[in-house]
Amino acid sequence: MTDDAERAGAVPLASSADSTPQPQSGRTYSGLVKNGDGPNTYTGIVILFGAVVDDYCSPESIQRQFDEGVNAGTPAHGELDGEPILVTRVEAEIMP
């Protein structure tokens, strides 16, 4: 995310989502930003800092593999406030 308008739309609570096929059974995101391309589509935001950056960027990272699958076109299905959602993109933000 690059501007304050997008940041303002972030859902502050973490959300879980599942994808099939999946390298893991689910994924928790640091936040969600509503996309403009559908009524229930979101971008999952992953906040990375410290040693987590190296773990996420490693070739063995299951979380990164999951996120790459979402970005390649396999949406993750989740629930937000009791309603079904699709996570269709993932952005990782590295914090200093």
Side-chain angles (χ1 to χ4, degrees):
M1 293 184 320
T2 57
D3 68 32
D4 292 333
E6 289 178 324
R7 289 182 194 283
V11 175
L13 300 175
S15 176
S16 293
D18 295 320
S19 175
T20 304
Q22 53 195 356
Q24 64 184 33
S25 62
R27 179 82 168 96
T28 300
Y29 294 104
S30 304
L32 297 169
V33 175
K34 181 105 173 69
N35 297 340
D37 61 356
N40 66 341
T41 61
Y42 289 81
T43 296
I45 306 301
V46 180
I47 306 297
L48 304 169
F49 56 92
V52 175
V53 174
D54 290 336
D55 292 343
Y56 184 84
C57 294
S58 77
E60 302 85 26
S61 172
I62 292 172
Q63 290 181 343
R64 183 187 46 73
Q65 291 173 29
F66 185 95
D67 295 345
E68 286 175 351
V70 170
N71 285 334
T74 303
H77 299 262
E79 196 172 275
L80 179 64
D81 297 330
E83 296 295 321
I85 66 168
L86 293 174
V87 177
T88 58
R89 289 184 286 249
V90 178
E91 284 189 25
E93 293 196 18
I94 298 174
M95 304 309 248

